[in-house]
Amino acid sequence: MTDNVQTYTIDLIPGDGIGIEVIPPAVAAVNALGDAHGFRVNWRERPWGSAFYRAHHMMMPADGLDQMADGDGILLGAVGDPDIADTVTLWGLLIPIRRRFQQYVNLRPSRTLPGVRSPIGDTAFDMMIVRENVEGEYSEIGGRFNQGTREEAAVQESVFTRRGVSRVARFAARLAADRSGTIVSATKSNGILHTMPFWDEIVDEVGAEEGVAVDKVLIDALAARFVLRPQSLDVVVASNLFGDILSDLAAALAGSLGIAPSANLNPEREHPSLFEPVHGSAPDIAGQGVANPVAAMWAAAMMLDHLGQASAARELEAAVFAPLAQGISTRDLGGDCTTEDYSAHVLERLRRV
Ligand code: GGG
């Protein structure tokens, strides 16, 4: 028998380390919201990652991407294992997903939250980092030469295309048009001779077309500005590598990497988008049950927004942040909650709404 309940198919990849610990509470929260808001999620469990690699010498099945192509989204925990090269784990799972599904925007919100102490004191900020996600410095072009000799060398090429830069800049500009009207663009066009001046030119063109101001800032000065004046930042657009670094910095300034979510978006919705905490597998705390579930739950809220369930997303955000405001937190934020304790507080709030 079929019913008319809106059903979403989501591929679930807990992955490695603390990913396996923070994804179940995110799923429980989405299921609870589905009951209240009249939607359902068909979770397709994908036990892919480093354990799969040990058994099969690959991070996911050869047809793994095909298996997910008809889904409405992907929720991922973390990728990385201390005994397997990061190049194998990342390039065997997360990066192929981002590329095949043209998830060219990696949207990383970062803001100070009530109850969370920032290492820079009381300065409140609220920014959106728009990271280019499928090209740039993350490239397969290059190689190692003359290995084992005194002439040993490594070459790594960056790839910036007009299409790639303009589409991510346009996403950032349209986001800024609804916010401060300015995009801050991370560059290094004084030292990087070809790609960064190209990036600057295109971001300027797109900014003018979209009617927003463009503030180009050298990445070194921008890193300092993140620490000294984060409140002066709203929408930041950056290349793959710069965006990755800046978003970890922003998360640390907001209080912890454990609270930073991200959405790997295919804005045209031709392919599934992927939602994940910014943090990795954290092998130093994996298996102890102390990981912070906030980032994974917030990422699930971003997924609900993308699916068109905005009111459920707002409810989830409110429930995830509320315990923090009452001084309830996990170890990374100075509290004593386990992952399970903190998740129970969130789920209790969702039940009360
Ligand atoms: N939560 C996803 C994860 O495990 N990320 C690990 C990582 O190193 N990502 C690198 C990247 O986003 O480029």
Side-chain angles (χ1 to χ4, degrees), residues 31-294:
N31 286 341
L33 284 158
D35 292 342
H37 287 258
F39 65 86
R40 194 178 293 154
V41 175
N42 165 32
W43 300 100
R44 294 194 295 207
E45 305 254 353
R46 307 295 190 188
W48 302 341
S50 298
F52 190 89
Y53 180 83
R54 286 194 177 85
H56 304 283
H57 302 289
M58 48 177 103
M59 291 292 288
M60 64 176 151
D63 67 346
L65 298 173
D66 294 335
Q67 289 184 37
M68 296 189 290
D70 65 350
D72 297 305
I74 302 166
L75 185 62
L76 179 136
V79 188
D81 184 290
D83 298 326
I84 305 173
D86 289 337
T87 43
V88 170
T89 54
L90 211 56
W91 281 89
L93 188 59
L94 188 50
I95 292 181
I97 295 173
R98 289 174 176 167
R99 289 174 188 223
R100 161 73 179 272
F101 296 136
Q102 285 297 299
Q103 295 164 353
Y104 62 84
V105 168
N106 193 325
L107 184 61
R108 298 183 159 191
S110 185
R111 62 178 191 256
T112 42
L113 296 171
V116 178
R117 271 223 322 268
S118 158
I120 51 167
D122 291 336
T123 309
F125 64 84
D126 177 356
M127 68 174 95
M128 293 293 229
I129 297 172
V130 179
R131 168 188 175 190
E132 200 294 318
N133 209 32
V134 295
E135 58 174 46
E137 304 87 345
Y138 283 43
S139 128
E140 287 166 287
I141 303 171
R144 299 274 294 264
F145 306 95
N146 301 326
Q147 289 191 44
T149 75
R150 286 161 60 92
E151 311 308 320
E152 186 165 7
V155 174
Q156 175 74 56
E157 297 291 348
S158 295
V159 177
F160 288 77
T161 64
R162 177 164 285 280
R163 177 166 168 262
V165 178
S166 56
R167 65 187 178 180
V168 76
R170 199 167 306 283
F171 182 94
R174 289 181 178 171
L175 185 62
D178 290 333
R179 293 173 56 107
S180 65
T182 298
I183 48 177
V184 169
S185 172
T187 185
K188 190 63 190 171
S189 45
N190 58 349
I192 307 289
L193 205 52
H194 303 296
T195 53
M196 282 292 135
F198 180 63
W199 169 277
D200 286 356
E201 254 173 60
I202 297 171
V203 175
D204 269 342
E205 280 169 27
V206 171
E209 283 165 21
E210 297 293 333
V212 300
V214 176
D215 183 8
K216 298 189 286 286
V217 187
L218 296 174
I219 186 68
D220 40 347
L222 186 54
R225 180 163 155 192
F226 263 62
V227 176
L228 299 173
R229 287 189 299 128
Q231 72 279 23
S232 72
L233 300 160
D234 178 42
V235 176
V236 177
V237 65
S239 64
N240 209 333
L241 178 64
F242 289 173
D244 193 22
I245 296 168
L246 289 174
S247 47
D248 269 34
L249 176 57
L253 295 173
S256 170
L257 205 49
I259 58 173
S262 74
N264 297 256
L265 298 173
N266 172 245
E268 292 75 23
R269 295 169 182 268
E270 289 162 349
H271 308 285
S273 292
L274 179 148
F275 304 83
E276 57 169 332
V278 170
H279 65 69
S281 58
D284 54 329
I285 57 160
Q288 299 175 30
V290 297
N292 192 338
V294 167

